[in-house]
Amino acid sequence: MFMGEYNHTIDAKGRLIIPSKFREALGSEFVITKGLDGCLFVFPMKEWEAFEEKLRGLPLIDKNARKFSRFFLAGASTCELDKQGRILVPGTLREFAQMDKEVVLTGMLDRIEVWSKEQWLENNAYDDMDDIAGSMQELGLNI
């Protein structure tokens, strides 16, 4: 399980240090791809394979299903940690997530989200949490 928030930098070559608390759960090989809200998703291989199975179950005749699958699969890339605990984030993914220097990595149970610091601050102000918490009941989450 991934949780927590970590501030790091991405270097000019696109290398990003993965927090040590995340490394063991990621395993030796994992997948990075476009995420929702302008971030990147990092999945351990087991979680990625489960996600792939769900995508395989979508009907090919549904245009939105094809577009949804394309969004996640076209930019997906397998990664391995180097000896310094870093990954190389592909240029297309850095461009998609508007990553320049400062990034935020957040643990989201079954995956990691990687945000540009600017996008993180813009998308996660939390000033509407009471409204959001109320709408979670509709999804079956009661606190």
Side-chain angles (χ1 to χ4, degrees), residues 69-129:
S69 294
R70 207 174 290 127
F71 176 80
F72 289 106
L73 295 171
S77 178
T78 56
C79 291
E80 294 179 8
L81 293 167
D82 69 10
K83 292 178 183 175
Q84 287 81 37
R86 301 174 301 189
I87 61 168
L88 179 62
V89 180
T92 55
L93 294 180
R94 290 194 315 267
E95 185 178 318
F96 167 80
Q98 300 175 20
M99 288 181 185
D100 188 25
K101 184 123 178 111
E102 294 183 80
V103 299
V104 179
L105 294 96
T106 60
M108 300 299 295
L109 300 176
D110 63 345
R111 70 180 185 283
I112 300 165
E113 291 182 351
V114 185
W115 295 81
S116 74
K117 179 104 179 196
E118 185 177 310
Q119 287 282 86
W120 173 253
L121 295 173
E122 185 179 308
N123 282 281
N124 296 289
Y126 302 122
D127 46 351
D128 57 351
M129 279 311 298

Side-chain angles (χ1 to χ4, degrees), residues 8 18-19 23-26 29-30 46 53 55 62 67 72 74 80-81 88 95 99 102 112 119 123 125 137:
H8 282 277
I18 299 297
R23 292 180 201 159
E24 187 177 330
L26 276 176
E29 188 178 53
F30 46 92
K46 180 181 173 185
E53 282 304 310
L55 293 177
D62 185 293
K67 195 171 189 177
F72 289 106
E80 294 179 8
L81 293 167
L88 179 62
E95 185 178 318
M99 288 181 185
E102 294 183 80
I112 300 165
Q119 287 282 86
N123 282 281
Q137 284 186 308

Side-chain angles (χ1 to χ4, degrees), residues 3-15:
M3 61 183 182
E5 177 181 328
Y6 301 88
N7 292 284
H8 282 277
T9 56
I10 191 165
D11 70 15
K13 294 180 181 178
R15 295 175 300 196

Side-chain angles (χ1 to χ4, degrees), residues 34-87:
K34 293 176 188 172
L36 301 174
D37 302 317
C39 72
L40 302 178
F41 287 168
V42 180
F43 290 96
M45 199 53 73
K46 180 181 173 185
E47 296 296 338
W48 176 254
E49 289 168 355
F51 183 58
E52 276 183 338
E53 282 304 310
K54 291 176 184 176
L55 293 177
R56 277 190 181 98
L58 295 174
L60 279 176
I61 60 170
D62 185 293
K63 186 173 183 167
N64 284 337
R66 291 191 310 273
K67 195 171 189 177
F68 186 81
S69 294
R70 207 174 290 127
F71 176 80
F72 289 106
L73 295 171
S77 178
T78 56
C79 291
E80 294 179 8
L81 293 167
D82 69 10
K83 292 178 183 175
Q84 287 81 37
R86 301 174 301 189
I87 61 168

